Amino acid sequence: MTHGFPDLPDVDALLSSGWKPLAFQQYIMKIHSRCDLACRHCYVYEMADQSWRGQPHRMSDAVADRAVERIAEHATRHDLPEIDVILHGGEPLLAGAELISRVVRGIRGAVSTGTRVNVNIQTNAVRLDEEYLRLFESLEIRVGVSMDGYAEAHDRHRRFSSGRGSHAQVSESLRRLTAGPYHHLFSGILCTVDVRNDPLRTYEALLEFDPPAVDFLLPHGNWGSPPPFRVPGSEATPYADWLITIFDRWYGSPVLQTEIRMFREIMRLLMGGSSRAETVGLSPVRMVVIETDGSIEQSDILKSAYHGAPETRLHVLRDSLDLALRHPSIVMRQLGERALSLTCRRCDLMSTCGGGLYAHRYSPGTGFAEPSVYCPDLYRLISYIGERCERDVARLRGAG
């Protein structure tokens, strides 16, 4: 395999040439660093970076207030019409209603009147009770839930530390969210793919909760620590095969049952549009993480690569988010094609695939100078979706 990869960029030279970074639009705030589940596939606790062990359990009020100020400062300085704040963890509900309210009210009060603040919380839903739902209603917080499908599929990984599965409790919470007056707060379901689970049973189990959107996530891994059933160098495509089964059901449905973001993003890119997700495409990444202790970091998914991978050595108590925009690793995520390996740049699907998720490119020998460890799966999935859509376009033209 041939590789060509630039060193980390000379940011001053880029700026002198007229290049400008795009301001952060999405802010992930890790308001609690621990979790009440012990999921086997969790990149925060079970993979290479173990920095969670040194994090405070809960974001302090002082750090939360300063993080709010930094976000508002950045949004105002760059005149952003809209920002997304995602409350994350660990399990963010462990932080408690008081801190959640403090952060959300603080940000909405601090940004300029011309900036809309969208707030989402990503939860395992174990603690999603009526009291929390009333709070989220009052604060206009949308709720994303992590669920892996039917009971056996979900409980394969998403368990309590005792080994007991969480499906029953998560299902009860989802019914509380979706069956009553709070359905409008529901933003969707995150489902981590396990190819041992039946794809259609998984999809149908998620549809029971009428999700507005579903994100199917490839389990995190890389060339040094491959994901389950993904053998580096093998041309087998177990993940594409699994996802294609669901794509056929979703795409062939006479009515839109839900949005599946991965499929929709691929279709948008194939039609010449730009990506709105970091999983595919070449759109600049405009996301930053504020850790529980106030550290400013890159995507937390990088924790799956090696210890310290997301670090920038910046902190909200002393550094502005504009400084993070100049960090070479963050700049790399905004350079599009120039940040890809030679293998990716020579690929006919480069503009659609975009090299896949950045963390999945990591190799202990070459850093992020590789295609995705899921390269064969991504190539097959994108090609399949493209061919299926092309056939339908040709059929429509013939009928016209």
mmCIF file of all heavy atoms in Angstrom, residues 230-259:
data_model
loop_
_atom_site.group_PDB
_atom_site.id
_atom_site.type_symbol
_atom_site.label_atom_id
_atom_site.label_comp_id
_atom_site.label_asym_id
_atom_site.label_seq_id
_atom_site.Cartn_x
_atom_site.Cartn_y
_atom_site.Cartn_z
ATOM 1 N N ARG A 230 -13.123 -6.946 11.664
ATOM 2 C CA ARG A 230 -12.518 -6.177 10.569
ATOM 3 C C ARG A 230 -11.028 -6.523 10.552
ATOM 4 O O ARG A 230 -10.268 -6.049 11.385
ATOM 5 C CB ARG A 230 -12.727 -4.680 10.816
ATOM 6 C CG ARG A 230 -12.080 -3.701 9.855
ATOM 7 C CD ARG A 230 -12.678 -3.701 8.487
ATOM 8 N NE ARG A 230 -11.852 -4.480 7.576
ATOM 9 C CZ ARG A 230 -12.247 -4.926 6.410
ATOM 10 N NH1 ARG A 230 -13.476 -4.703 5.990
ATOM 11 N NH2 ARG A 230 -11.440 -5.623 5.637
ATOM 12 N N VAL A 231 -10.640 -7.389 9.638
ATOM 13 C CA VAL A 231 -9.256 -7.850 9.553
ATOM 14 C C VAL A 231 -8.494 -6.914 8.614
ATOM 15 O O VAL A 231 -8.806 -6.825 7.428
ATOM 16 C CB VAL A 231 -9.186 -9.299 9.022
ATOM 17 C CG1 VAL A 231 -7.729 -9.760 8.932
ATOM 18 C CG2 VAL A 231 -9.999 -10.237 9.917
ATOM 19 N N PRO A 232 -7.492 -6.174 9.133
ATOM 20 C CA PRO A 232 -6.748 -5.251 8.272
ATOM 21 C C PRO A 232 -6.141 -5.967 7.065
ATOM 22 O O PRO A 232 -5.540 -7.034 7.197
ATOM 23 C CB PRO A 232 -5.652 -4.713 9.198
ATOM 24 C CG PRO A 232 -6.226 -4.847 10.570
ATOM 25 C CD PRO A 232 -7.040 -6.104 10.531
ATOM 26 N N GLY A 233 -6.354 -5.392 5.889
ATOM 27 C CA GLY A 233 -5.844 -5.992 4.661
ATOM 28 C C GLY A 233 -6.827 -6.925 3.983
ATOM 29 O O GLY A 233 -6.677 -7.241 2.803
ATOM 30 N N SER A 234 -7.847 -7.373 4.707
ATOM 31 C CA SER A 234 -8.842 -8.266 4.123
ATOM 32 C C SER A 234 -9.811 -7.475 3.256
ATOM 33 O O SER A 234 -10.183 -6.351 3.578
ATOM 34 C CB SER A 234 -9.617 -8.982 5.227
ATOM 35 O OG SER A 234 -10.750 -9.644 4.698
ATOM 36 N N GLU A 235 -10.231 -8.072 2.153
ATOM 37 C CA GLU A 235 -11.213 -7.439 1.275
ATOM 38 C C GLU A 235 -12.649 -7.757 1.690
ATOM 39 O O GLU A 235 -13.588 -7.299 1.049
ATOM 40 C CB GLU A 235 -10.978 -7.874 -0.178
ATOM 41 C CG GLU A 235 -9.667 -7.357 -0.764
ATOM 42 C CD GLU A 235 -9.545 -5.835 -0.670
ATOM 43 O OE1 GLU A 235 -10.482 -5.135 -1.100
ATOM 44 O OE2 GLU A 235 -8.519 -5.352 -0.140
ATOM 45 N N ALA A 236 -12.826 -8.553 2.732
ATOM 46 C CA ALA A 236 -14.175 -8.853 3.224
ATOM 47 C C ALA A 236 -14.837 -7.568 3.720
ATOM 48 O O ALA A 236 -14.171 -6.654 4.205
ATOM 49 C CB ALA A 236 -14.104 -9.885 4.349
ATOM 50 N N THR A 237 -16.160 -7.507 3.596
ATOM 51 C CA THR A 237 -16.882 -6.272 3.952
ATOM 52 C C THR A 237 -18.066 -6.575 4.876
ATOM 53 O O THR A 237 -19.218 -6.311 4.543
ATOM 54 C CB THR A 237 -17.387 -5.575 2.673
ATOM 55 O OG1 THR A 237 -18.208 -6.491 1.917
ATOM 56 C CG2 THR A 237 -16.225 -5.117 1.807
ATOM 57 N N PRO A 238 -17.790 -7.107 6.075
ATOM 58 C CA PRO A 238 -18.908 -7.482 6.958
ATOM 59 C C PRO A 238 -19.774 -6.305 7.378
ATOM 60 O O PRO A 238 -20.999 -6.461 7.534
ATOM 61 C CB PRO A 238 -18.199 -8.116 8.158
ATOM 62 C CG PRO A 238 -16.805 -7.539 8.130
ATOM 63 C CD PRO A 238 -16.476 -7.374 6.683
ATOM 64 N N TYR A 239 -19.174 -5.132 7.559
ATOM 65 C CA TYR A 239 -19.959 -3.978 8.012
ATOM 66 C C TYR A 239 -20.792 -3.395 6.873
ATOM 67 O O TYR A 239 -21.946 -3.001 7.080
ATOM 68 C CB TYR A 239 -19.033 -2.926 8.636
ATOM 69 C CG TYR A 239 -18.514 -3.383 9.973
ATOM 70 C CD1 TYR A 239 -17.323 -4.105 10.068
ATOM 71 C CD2 TYR A 239 -19.236 -3.161 11.137
ATOM 72 C CE1 TYR A 239 -16.863 -4.571 11.286
ATOM 73 C CE2 TYR A 239 -18.781 -3.615 12.365
ATOM 74 C CZ TYR A 239 -17.604 -4.322 12.441
ATOM 75 O OH TYR A 239 -17.160 -4.793 13.658
ATOM 76 N N ALA A 240 -20.228 -3.344 5.676
ATOM 77 C CA ALA A 240 -21.014 -2.894 4.525
ATOM 78 C C ALA A 240 -22.185 -3.838 4.280
ATOM 79 O O ALA A 240 -23.313 -3.393 4.028
ATOM 80 C CB ALA A 240 -20.125 -2.812 3.284
ATOM 81 N N ASP A 241 -21.940 -5.131 4.344
ATOM 82 C CA ASP A 241 -23.006 -6.102 4.094
ATOM 83 C C ASP A 241 -24.147 -5.908 5.093
ATOM 84 O O ASP A 241 -25.331 -5.964 4.728
ATOM 85 C CB ASP A 241 -22.455 -7.525 4.184
ATOM 86 C CG ASP A 241 -21.375 -7.805 3.147
ATOM 87 O OD1 ASP A 241 -21.295 -7.053 2.155
ATOM 88 O OD2 ASP A 241 -20.602 -8.761 3.342
ATOM 89 N N TRP A 242 -23.795 -5.690 6.349
ATOM 90 C CA TRP A 242 -24.796 -5.489 7.410
ATOM 91 C C TRP A 242 -25.605 -4.228 7.141
ATOM 92 O O TRP A 242 -26.842 -4.232 7.202
ATOM 93 C CB TRP A 242 -24.059 -5.391 8.744
ATOM 94 C CG TRP A 242 -24.866 -5.569 9.987
ATOM 95 C CD1 TRP A 242 -25.091 -6.714 10.673
ATOM 96 C CD2 TRP A 242 -25.544 -4.529 10.731
ATOM 97 N NE1 TRP A 242 -25.854 -6.469 11.785
ATOM 98 C CE2 TRP A 242 -26.155 -5.139 11.853
ATOM 99 C CE3 TRP A 242 -25.690 -3.160 10.551
ATOM 100 C CZ2 TRP A 242 -26.894 -4.430 12.786
ATOM 101 C CZ3 TRP A 242 -26.440 -2.442 11.481
ATOM 102 C CH2 TRP A 242 -27.039 -3.064 12.582
ATOM 103 N N LEU A 243 -24.916 -3.139 6.813
ATOM 104 C CA LEU A 243 -25.588 -1.857 6.584
ATOM 105 C C LEU A 243 -26.406 -1.858 5.291
ATOM 106 O O LEU A 243 -27.475 -1.237 5.223
ATOM 107 C CB LEU A 243 -24.552 -0.728 6.561
ATOM 108 C CG LEU A 243 -23.936 -0.387 7.913
ATOM 109 C CD1 LEU A 243 -22.669 0.458 7.739
ATOM 110 C CD2 LEU A 243 -24.934 0.356 8.799
ATOM 111 N N ILE A 244 -25.939 -2.558 4.269
ATOM 112 C CA ILE A 244 -26.675 -2.611 2.998
ATOM 113 C C ILE A 244 -28.028 -3.280 3.192
ATOM 114 O O ILE A 244 -29.026 -2.885 2.573
ATOM 115 C CB ILE A 244 -25.824 -3.328 1.924
ATOM 116 C CG1 ILE A 244 -24.728 -2.378 1.408
ATOM 117 C CG2 ILE A 244 -26.680 -3.818 0.766
ATOM 118 C CD1 ILE A 244 -23.680 -3.051 0.554
ATOM 119 N N THR A 245 -28.089 -4.286 4.051
ATOM 120 C CA THR A 245 -29.379 -4.934 4.334
ATOM 121 C C THR A 245 -30.382 -3.908 4.874
ATOM 122 O O THR A 245 -31.550 -3.894 4.474
ATOM 123 C CB THR A 245 -29.180 -6.070 5.361
ATOM 124 O OG1 THR A 245 -28.238 -7.006 4.845
ATOM 125 C CG2 THR A 245 -30.501 -6.777 5.647
ATOM 126 N N ILE A 246 -29.930 -3.041 5.758
ATOM 127 C CA ILE A 246 -30.809 -2.002 6.298
ATOM 128 C C ILE A 246 -31.083 -0.939 5.246
ATOM 129 O O ILE A 246 -32.220 -0.448 5.122
ATOM 130 C CB ILE A 246 -30.189 -1.385 7.566
ATOM 131 C CG1 ILE A 246 -30.101 -2.444 8.670
ATOM 132 C CG2 ILE A 246 -31.006 -0.175 8.039
ATOM 133 C CD1 ILE A 246 -29.413 -1.966 9.926
ATOM 134 N N PHE A 247 -30.055 -0.567 4.471
ATOM 135 C CA PHE A 247 -30.271 0.447 3.427
ATOM 136 C C PHE A 247 -31.375 0.010 2.477
ATOM 137 O O PHE A 247 -32.260 0.815 2.127
ATOM 138 C CB PHE A 247 -28.981 0.695 2.639
ATOM 139 C CG PHE A 247 -29.173 1.641 1.484
ATOM 140 C CD1 PHE A 247 -29.217 3.017 1.696
ATOM 141 C CD2 PHE A 247 -29.364 1.167 0.191
ATOM 142 C CE1 PHE A 247 -29.442 3.896 0.645
ATOM 143 C CE2 PHE A 247 -29.580 2.032 -0.867
ATOM 144 C CZ PHE A 247 -29.616 3.405 -0.641
ATOM 145 N N ASP A 248 -31.362 -1.236 2.039
ATOM 146 C CA ASP A 248 -32.386 -1.711 1.107
ATOM 147 C C ASP A 248 -33.781 -1.586 1.710
ATOM 148 O O ASP A 248 -34.724 -1.185 1.033
ATOM 149 C CB ASP A 248 -32.102 -3.158 0.710
ATOM 150 C CG ASP A 248 -30.984 -3.279 -0.319
ATOM 151 O OD1 ASP A 248 -30.704 -2.282 -1.013
ATOM 152 O OD2 ASP A 248 -30.401 -4.377 -0.440
ATOM 153 N N ARG A 249 -33.919 -1.917 2.994
ATOM 154 C CA ARG A 249 -35.227 -1.797 3.654
ATOM 155 C C ARG A 249 -35.631 -0.319 3.762
ATOM 156 O O ARG A 249 -36.766 0.039 3.479
ATOM 157 C CB ARG A 249 -35.167 -2.451 5.033
ATOM 158 C CG ARG A 249 -36.391 -2.195 5.926
ATOM 159 C CD ARG A 249 -37.652 -2.881 5.404
ATOM 160 N NE ARG A 249 -37.504 -4.315 5.442
ATOM 161 C CZ ARG A 249 -37.773 -5.074 6.507
ATOM 162 N NH1 ARG A 249 -38.209 -4.526 7.632
ATOM 163 N NH2 ARG A 249 -37.618 -6.380 6.444
ATOM 164 N N TRP A 250 -34.700 0.501 4.182
ATOM 165 C CA TRP A 250 -34.972 1.937 4.376
ATOM 166 C C TRP A 250 -35.275 2.636 3.050
ATOM 167 O O TRP A 250 -36.273 3.333 2.916
ATOM 168 C CB TRP A 250 -33.761 2.574 5.054
ATOM 169 C CG TRP A 250 -33.790 4.058 5.201
ATOM 170 C CD1 TRP A 250 -34.484 4.779 6.140
ATOM 171 C CD2 TRP A 250 -33.077 5.024 4.410
ATOM 172 N NE1 TRP A 250 -34.250 6.130 5.978
ATOM 173 C CE2 TRP A 250 -33.396 6.310 4.923
ATOM 174 C CE3 TRP A 250 -32.210 4.928 3.330
ATOM 175 C CZ2 TRP A 250 -32.864 7.482 4.372
ATOM 176 C CZ3 TRP A 250 -31.681 6.095 2.787
ATOM 177 C CH2 TRP A 250 -32.012 7.358 3.311
ATOM 178 N N TYR A 251 -34.422 2.410 2.063
ATOM 179 C CA TYR A 251 -34.546 3.091 0.771
ATOM 180 C C TYR A 251 -35.770 2.609 0.012
ATOM 181 O O TYR A 251 -36.424 3.383 -0.696
ATOM 182 C CB TYR A 251 -33.276 2.835 -0.039
ATOM 183 C CG TYR A 251 -33.198 3.563 -1.352
ATOM 184 C CD1 TYR A 251 -32.920 4.931 -1.402
ATOM 185 C CD2 TYR A 251 -33.385 2.888 -2.555
ATOM 186 C CE1 TYR A 251 -32.831 5.605 -2.615
ATOM 187 C CE2 TYR A 251 -33.294 3.545 -3.768
ATOM 188 C CZ TYR A 251 -33.021 4.902 -3.790
ATOM 189 O OH TYR A 251 -32.932 5.564 -4.987
ATOM 190 N N GLY A 252 -36.108 1.331 0.183
ATOM 191 C CA GLY A 252 -37.239 0.766 -0.542
ATOM 192 C C GLY A 252 -38.578 0.976 0.121
ATOM 193 O O GLY A 252 -39.624 0.594 -0.437
ATOM 194 N N SER A 253 -38.605 1.573 1.298
ATOM 195 C CA SER A 253 -39.870 1.788 2.002
ATOM 196 C C SER A 253 -40.725 2.826 1.274
ATOM 197 O O SER A 253 -40.208 3.861 0.837
ATOM 198 C CB SER A 253 -39.595 2.270 3.430
ATOM 199 O OG SER A 253 -40.796 2.617 4.072
ATOM 200 N N PRO A 254 -42.021 2.574 1.126
ATOM 201 C CA PRO A 254 -42.885 3.549 0.443
ATOM 202 C C PRO A 254 -43.055 4.859 1.208
ATOM 203 O O PRO A 254 -43.421 5.878 0.633
ATOM 204 C CB PRO A 254 -44.224 2.809 0.306
ATOM 205 C CG PRO A 254 -44.184 1.741 1.368
ATOM 206 C CD PRO A 254 -42.748 1.361 1.512
ATOM 207 N N VAL A 255 -42.786 4.827 2.510
ATOM 208 C CA VAL A 255 -42.826 6.053 3.314
ATOM 209 C C VAL A 255 -41.511 6.158 4.085
ATOM 210 O O VAL A 255 -40.883 5.148 4.415
ATOM 211 C CB VAL A 255 -44.011 6.062 4.311
ATOM 212 C CG1 VAL A 255 -45.331 6.081 3.562
ATOM 213 C CG2 VAL A 255 -43.955 4.868 5.259
ATOM 214 N N LEU A 256 -41.092 7.374 4.373
ATOM 215 C CA LEU A 256 -39.851 7.578 5.127
ATOM 216 C C LEU A 256 -40.108 7.234 6.589
ATOM 217 O O LEU A 256 -40.849 7.924 7.281
ATOM 218 C CB LEU A 256 -39.373 9.029 4.997
ATOM 219 C CG LEU A 256 -38.062 9.362 5.717
ATOM 220 C CD1 LEU A 256 -36.899 8.586 5.108
ATOM 221 C CD2 LEU A 256 -37.785 10.863 5.663
ATOM 222 N N GLN A 257 -39.476 6.156 7.058
ATOM 223 C CA GLN A 257 -39.703 5.709 8.435
ATOM 224 C C GLN A 257 -38.861 6.481 9.436
ATOM 225 O O GLN A 257 -39.269 6.706 10.569
ATOM 226 C CB GLN A 257 -39.408 4.209 8.526
ATOM 227 C CG GLN A 257 -40.353 3.374 7.673
ATOM 228 C CD GLN A 257 -39.923 1.924 7.612
ATOM 229 O OE1 GLN A 257 -38.780 1.596 7.337
ATOM 230 N NE2 GLN A 257 -40.865 1.031 7.876
ATOM 231 N N THR A 258 -37.674 6.865 9.020
ATOM 232 C CA THR A 258 -36.776 7.662 9.847
ATOM 233 C C THR A 258 -35.640 8.148 8.956
ATOM 234 O O THR A 258 -35.459 7.634 7.849
ATOM 235 C CB THR A 258 -36.200 6.832 11.023
ATOM 236 O OG1 THR A 258 -35.447 7.681 11.889
ATOM 237 C CG2 THR A 258 -35.290 5.719 10.530
ATOM 238 N N GLU A 259 -34.889 9.130 9.425
ATOM 239 C CA GLU A 259 -33.659 9.520 8.732
ATOM 240 C C GLU A 259 -32.533 8.613 9.218
ATOM 241 O O GLU A 259 -32.384 8.406 10.427
ATOM 242 C CB GLU A 259 -33.297 10.976 9.050
ATOM 243 C CG GLU A 259 -34.097 11.998 8.263
ATOM 244 C CD GLU A 259 -33.688 12.024 6.793
ATOM 245 O OE1 GLU A 259 -32.491 11.838 6.504
ATOM 246 O OE2 GLU A 259 -34.560 12.221 5.953
#
